[in-house]
Amino acid sequence: MQSTDLDLRELLSFRPDGGTMFFMGRRALLFDAVALGLLRKELIDSLGTAAARSILTRFGYTHGMRTAESLKMEFPDLFADSWTGPKLHMLQGMVRVEENQRSNGTDGEPKVQSYWYDSYEVEQHLLHLGLSEEPVCWTLTGFASGYVSYWAGEKVYFIEDRCCGKGDAVCHVEGRTREQWGEALEPHLPYFESESGDEVFQTLAKALRETEERLKKQRRQMSCLSAPTEEVGCITARSNAMRRVVELTRRIARVDSSVIVTGESGAGKERIARLIHEESARTGRPFVAVNCGALTETLLESELFGHVRGAFTGADRDKMGLIEAAHGGTLFLDEIGEVSPAMQVKLLRVLQEREVRRVGENVSRPVDIRVVAATNRNLSDEVTKGSFRRDLYYRLRVIEVRVPPLRERNEDILPLARIFLEQASRRAGRKVTGFTPKAADQLLRYTWPGNVRELQNAVEHAVALCEDSRADLEDLPEELRSALPRAGIVESVRPLEEVEREYILAALRATGNNKARTASELNIGVATLYRKLADYEKQGFLA
């Protein structure tokens, strides 16, 4: 038998009445992927990322080695087939391996390299923890290392250099021996090798977690590339409007009251909610975010409150809800204005009684959470219309924070754009260091109806198209390139002559340098336009 002959229906056997099941003759267990994801989150929250990664990597390593050992004893033909390990990885539902290249590892070539898709660890890390700064396929690289080490008869260490969990298009791993890796292995080696003195580990676990939390905050500050007085938790606050918001947010964080964060879509409401959490006494506990508008009423109830086995069709196990998962920390309810009247009643009870009852269960469980809600609607109007409960509104709106749209904080546009440029360049492996003056000027002209989210997308677009070290005007999306100067005054008054010049030149670009059409659109004579353009050329504003 070869690996291509493997069929899950033949490998998996079980008693019809349950109790035991076997995979290739060895007892196996079924675990829900979300449960494993919550275990990962709990390990990270309790012990810190480094300790959690070490535990999960060694767990995967042992799993891989045991799998190879069983194969060698019971299916020697399969063990000899180099593709069997990746095939088992896929049959067990862990990952899809699309390419697996092997060599003797000479001349600097890796002994094994693979491309991974649909990693369950990526899926769960993104679900519970969001985008990571480092690769997240810890048990999978551990499994590959353990399996190949036993198969090859020497220790082979797999390192993931690309991962979908940190924004890459594909997960990619390479396996080499310790000698072949050389010094590049040193930062990864502690995750594979168990340290002695468990009592020391337990003593330092809490301190390690607290240190990692501080380092995460410092990294966020450093990534903002701005003065500390202008950056708080990667919230850019150069404009007076945003500084007032940050100052209010920090004051709010000191108390435990419920908060509503209002503002247009994409303005950064979740950033403010996270800052409230990080600046509060709950900073070391979970921050659980739920997009209420993205889920149906039934699914939202199950996600928030959890359920017991048999509560509804398909509920084959007990499940903890996100409200319980946020115990001790902060629950962020995004798009709270989209919640149905029936769900509003249930949320009100949680806020009043500070307890939650799973779907299908009669037992109430106490919860200690701080609720921060966000909406792009005017909830006061919704209350007047009768679509949002007045009592829930006042329970949530103990304090309200309004996040101004990007067009009202012009001073924040370029600092934010530079932050996104640095992040996008790093993810894309490009060396784009800044914007040309024309590109920067055009970013300031635009009104940004999509707010910060649209700015981030525009910058990523520019990084993708940029062929130089600086993003130019032509690298920006079409709607930005043709943007006219914004109307109105934001925070500063400029000379009328300067505003007129910018508007005329922008109108000229928008018409493709068609002077007759430009004059017509501006409702001025063509001679007047030519005269003004001649003046601008003398002043150096036209190339």
Side-chain angles (χ1 to χ4, degrees):
M1 179 186 291
Q2 298 297 312
S3 60
T4 52
D5 300 321
L6 291 174
D7 189 319
L8 185 60
R9 292 167 295 185
E10 297 172 356
L11 299 177
L12 188 66
S13 60
F14 54 91
R15 292 178 52 177
D17 58 345
T20 56
M21 63 176 57
F22 298 86
F23 184 82
M24 298 188 73
R26 296 272 179 160
R27 183 168 182 177
L29 306 172
L30 283 178
F31 280 99
D32 179 73
V34 175
L36 292 176
L38 288 171
L39 173 63
R40 165 188 286 254
K41 184 177 186 301
E42 182 63 26
L43 286 172
I44 292 174
D45 289 343
S46 302
L47 305 176
T49 303
R53 178 181 173 184
S54 180
I55 291 170
L56 293 176
T57 301
R58 293 203 297 271
F59 167 77
Y61 189 96
T62 304
H63 184 199
M65 183 162 283
R66 282 279 298 158
T67 301
E69 184 182 15
S70 300
L71 275 175
K72 185 176 183 180
M73 287 192 303
E74 300 179 21
F75 304 92
D77 291 338
L78 280 174
F79 178 77
D81 187 346
S82 63
W83 181 249
T84 300
K87 183 70 172 179
L88 291 176
H89 235 166
M90 292 191 287
L91 289 174
Q92 292 171 355
M94 298 182 191
V95 70
R96 178 165 57 88
V97 184
E98 199 160 272
E99 183 177 357
N100 195 67
Q101 301 173 355
R102 295 178 180 268
S103 71
N104 59 11
T106 58
D107 299 326
E109 291 293 323
K111 200 175 189 70
V112 184
Q113 62 174 324
S114 298
Y115 293 90
W116 289 347
Y117 300 85
D118 302 327
S119 160
Y120 87 94
E121 288 194 279
V122 167
E123 172 193 85
Q124 294 304 313
H125 197 98
L126 292 175
L127 175 64
H128 298 290
L129 297 157
L131 203 63
S132 172
E133 297 178 355
E134 301 293 337
V136 301
C137 298
W138 302 334
T139 60
L140 297 182
T141 52
F143 180 97
S145 300
Y147 184 95
V148 175
S149 293
Y150 191 91
W151 182 83
E154 60 179 338
K155 276 204 168 184
V156 178
Y157 299 89
F158 277 71
I159 295 177
E160 190 178 22
D161 55 5
R162 278 176 277 167
C163 181
C164 298
K166 67 182 186 73
D168 295 324
V170 65
C171 297
H172 177 262
V173 294
E174 292 185 2
R176 307 173 192 256
T177 64
R178 187 167 187 166
E179 292 72 22
Q180 290 164 350
W181 277 116
E183 294 182 357
L185 181 63
E186 293 305 318
H188 304 271
L189 200 56
Y191 302 117
F192 290 95
E193 297 182 353
S194 177
E195 299 287 344
S196 60
D198 288 341
E199 67 283 352
V200 177
F201 173 78
Q202 293 295 334
T203 304
L204 295 178
K206 183 179 179 181
L208 177 62
R209 176 172 154 247
E210 291 174 352
T211 301
E212 285 195 341
E213 287 297 325
R214 289 196 298 269
L215 288 174
K216 285 179 182 177
K217 289 182 180 179
Q218 290 175 6
R219 283 198 298 269
R220 284 194 294 268
Q221 292 286 351
M222 292 174 65
S223 70
C224 290
L225 305 177
S226 291
T229 56
E230 298 171 348
E231 303 294 341
V232 182
C234 264
I235 295 176
T236 297
R238 285 194 180 181
S239 65
N240 291 332
M242 203 60 192
R243 285 182 180 179
R244 288 191 291 268
V245 170
V246 170
E247 181 184 354
L248 176 60
T249 300
R250 286 177 141 173
R251 289 161 57 190
I252 291 170
R254 299 172 195 161
V255 297
D256 221 25
S257 304
S258 298
V259 181
I260 281 188
V261 184
T262 61
E264 295 179 4
S265 179
K269 296 187 291 293
E270 184 170 348
R271 285 284 190 184
I272 292 297
R274 286 186 180 275
L275 181 60
I276 292 173
H277 174 73
E278 291 173 358
E279 295 283 325
S280 73
R282 297 176 179 266
T283 184
R285 303 304 301 161
F287 177 89
V288 178
V290 187
N291 188 333
C292 301
L295 302 172
T296 63
E297 181 179 347
T298 304
L299 185 56
L300 179 62
E301 182 178 14
S302 175
E303 287 295 309
L304 283 176
F305 296 92
H307 60 254
V308 295
R309 182 180 179 184
F312 49 83
T313 304
D316 54 356
R317 60 180 179 83
D318 290 355
K319 177 185 176 182
M320 176 191 292
L322 295 177
I323 295 176
E324 283 185 75
H327 181 71
T330 302
L331 178 68
F332 175 56
L333 300 174
D334 197 9
E335 303 300 343
I336 189 67
E338 307 295 328
V339 174
S340 69
M343 182 59 64
Q344 290 176 33
V345 175
K346 296 172 183 176
L347 285 174
L348 179 63
R349 184 179 181 278
V350 173
L351 291 173
Q352 288 176 334
E353 306 298 331
R354 294 292 169 179
E355 59 184 26
V356 65
R357 184 177 297 173
R358 295 181 181 179
V359 177
E361 187 176 53
N362 295 324
V363 178
S364 295
R365 304 166 186 265
V367 288
D368 172 26
I369 57 173
R370 179 185 191 161
V371 176
V372 179
T375 180
N376 57 9
R377 295 188 176 191
N378 187 324
L379 286 189
S380 180
D381 291 345
E382 300 295 319
V383 169
T384 303
K385 291 188 294 185
S387 59
F388 199 86
R389 292 183 63 95
R390 186 179 300 274
D391 45 6
L392 177 59
Y393 173 63
Y394 286 114
R395 279 282 179 181
L396 292 171
R397 189 185 171 272
V398 177
I399 306 172
E400 181 176 346
V401 180
R402 177 185 174 272
V403 183
L406 196 54
R407 63 181 174 275
E408 292 181 11
R409 43 191 176 110
N410 198 53
E411 292 85 350
D412 295 336
I413 293 175
L414 286 182
L416 277 169
R418 291 178 182 123
I419 292 169
F420 296 144
L421 183 77
E422 191 272 338
Q423 294 172 347
S425 299
R426 187 173 63 246
R427 286 196 300 268
R430 307 286 303 278
K431 292 184 178 180
V432 185
T433 58
F435 299 95
T436 64
K438 286 184 178 181
D441 182 62
Q442 201 67 10
L443 291 176
L444 294 174
R445 294 177 183 275
Y446 194 55
T447 56
W448 300 107
N451 291 295
V452 178
R453 188 178 297 123
E454 184 183 10
L455 174 61
Q456 184 174 12
N457 292 343
V459 172
E460 289 190 16
H461 180 282
V463 169
L465 297 186
C466 181
E467 296 181 346
D468 203 348
S469 61
R470 292 189 300 169
D472 204 352
L473 180 62
E474 296 304 314
D475 301 322
L476 298 175
E478 172 60 30
E479 64 270 20
L480 265 73
R481 295 200 300 269
S482 58
L484 296 173
R486 64 181 67 194
I489 298 171
V490 181
E491 289 192 358
S492 61
V493 178
R494 295 187 297 156
L496 182 60
E497 182 182 3
E498 180 182 328
V499 175
E500 181 189 64
R501 181 182 66 244
E502 289 188 1
Y503 198 87
I504 289 176
L505 293 179
L508 188 64
R509 284 194 298 271
T511 61
N513 210 36
N514 186 322
K515 296 180 177 61
R517 182 183 166 193
T518 300
S520 175
E521 294 285 343
L522 293 174
N523 199 24
I524 62 175
V526 176
T528 301
L529 176 63
Y530 272 95
R531 187 181 69 253
K532 288 183 178 294
L533 292 178
D535 291 340
Y536 299 158
E537 187 173 10
K538 291 178 182 177
Q539 297 170 23
F541 292 106
L542 281 176

